Amino acid sequence: MKPSALTTHILNTASGRPMEGVTVELFRHDPTGPVQVTQAVTNADGRTDAPLLTAATFAPGTYELRFHVGAHFGGAGFLDVVPIVVRLMAGQGHYHVPLLCSPWSYATYRGS
């Protein structure tokens, strides 16, 4: 079985640059509601310094990443907090969830 982990990065598609200084929160959706697992801030490469979930901390389930992009755009854009809900399964290897973002729109996909 492949060990699982979760990582992310954020790119500003309007400028073509990584988004540094963005707070990323990770919540696990439990039967009683969302429970915060971790919080990180992106570095100069638009990535968190450590995985949001490592092989040791990984548990299958539904998770929500919340990207606080509004401050990055100085409040001038349309977006503030971008939520991405994903289902993570055991044995599927590394999950990478990139966010491609401008002040007005976003896209994501399962990266490698």
Side-chain angles (χ1 to χ4, degrees):
M1 183 181 289
K2 296 178 184 179
S4 297
L6 174 65
T7 58
T8 190
H9 77 274
I10 312 171
L11 298 174
N12 180 337
T13 56
S15 69
R17 310 271 313 147
M19 290 177 64
E20 181 178 7
V22 174
T23 297
V24 180
E25 297 174 305
L26 179 66
F27 292 83
R28 179 178 166 83
H29 286 212
D30 286 343
T32 59
V35 175
Q36 188 169 15
V37 174
T38 191
Q39 178 176 309
V41 176
T42 57
N43 59 28
D45 195 33
R47 300 175 185 274
T48 57
D49 289 332
L52 298 172
L53 292 173
T54 65
T57 61
F58 183 87
T62 301
Y63 290 85
E64 181 176 342
L65 294 104
R66 295 181 188 170
F67 299 90
H68 293 260
V69 300
H72 177 82
F73 296 118
F78 173 71
L79 298 175
D80 186 25
V81 178
V82 175
I84 306 291
V85 178
V86 295
R87 186 181 47 209
L88 307 182
M89 297 179 287
Q92 299 298 307
H94 182 164
Y95 285 92
H96 184 68
V97 181
L99 180 67
L100 308 176
C101 192
S102 78
W104 311 280
S105 66
Y106 67 91
T108 191
Y109 56 94
R110 180 173 177 183
S112 58

